[in-house]
Amino acid sequence: MTATPPLRALVDEARAIPDSRFEYDLHDVATAGRAVVAELQVLALRPPSVELLDAVEYAAERWDYLAGVLCQDWRTYDKESSEIGSAIAAVHCGLCERLRIDPVELAERLARLAAVCETDSCLYPTGRYRHLLGRDGLEAFERRWKELRGW
C-alpha cells in the first residue's frame, strides 16, 4: 500500500481551509502546513520513489497558494510561510539527490512548478538545486520556464 494517498488527503485538507470555511484563522493554515511538512519528513525516511517525489511536488503547488493566503498577515506569518516552504523544498531536494534525477528531467519538473505557482515557488532552483542541475540543467530550466510563461 502506498503512503501518498494519505499525504495527498492531508495536503488537500490544508489547501481547502481558506475555501471551505466561512471564517478561518490563519493560524489554522500555518498549523496545517506544519502537519504536511511533518508527514513529508517522515515519508522521506523511507526508500525514495518517484511517486513520493510527485507527492512532494503536489504539496509544493498547494503550499504556494497557502503561502499567499498567509501573506494576508505577513508581519505575523512571514517566518512560518518561508520555513514551511523551505522544509518542503529540503525534502524535495533530498529525494532528487537520492533518486539521482536526471538534470534535464529535474529542470522540467522545477520549471513546471515555478510556472504554475502564483508566488515564487519554494522549489525555484536557487542554490539548493544548483549542484543537481549543473550548467545544462540550469539552462534547460531557464528555457523551459520562459516557454511555459510565454516569454
Side-chain angles (χ1 to χ4, degrees):
M1 177 153 172
T2 180
T4 58
L7 170 65
R8 286 179 185 254
L10 184 63
V11 169
D12 290 342
E13 184 179 316
R15 170 58 182 85
I17 290 172
D19 298 334
S20 64
R21 299 182 187 174
F22 178 68
E23 292 185 26
Y24 66 93
D25 191 310
L26 291 176
H27 177 74
D28 297 337
V29 174
T31 299
R34 285 190 290 274
V36 167
V37 165
E39 184 67 17
L40 287 174
Q41 290 170 334
V42 168
L43 291 173
L45 296 173
R46 297 179 178 178
S49 69
V50 173
E51 181 182 42
L52 180 55
L53 185 65
D54 291 341
V56 174
E57 291 172 358
Y58 182 82
E61 282 185 43
R62 272 68 187 167
W63 178 251
D64 177 74
Y65 172 79
L66 293 172
V69 169
L70 287 181
C71 285
Q72 294 174 27
D73 186 1
W74 61 268
R75 289 184 179 131
T76 303
Y77 291 102
D78 188 50
K79 181 179 176 186
E80 283 87 351
S81 179
S82 64
E83 285 176 355
I84 292 167
S86 291
I88 293 170
V91 170
H92 184 268
C93 188
L95 285 171
C96 290
E97 286 175 343
R98 292 170 57 204
L99 288 168
R100 294 187 173 112
I101 298 292
D102 175 73
V104 175
E105 178 187 344
L106 178 56
E108 174 67 30
R109 286 174 171 271
L110 293 173
R112 185 191 60 76
L113 284 165
V116 299
C117 292
E118 294 177 16
T119 60
D120 286 339
S121 170
C122 62
L123 301 182
Y124 196 85
T126 58
R128 181 185 310 263
Y129 291 94
R130 288 189 185 279
H131 70 287
L132 295 173
L133 290 167
R135 178 184 218 134
D136 292 341
L138 285 170
E139 289 173 1
F141 169 81
E142 286 295 324
R143 272 192 314 274
R144 186 64 174 138
W145 182 72
K146 287 177 182 177
E147 180 182 297
L148 290 169
R149 289 283 183 157
W151 293 356

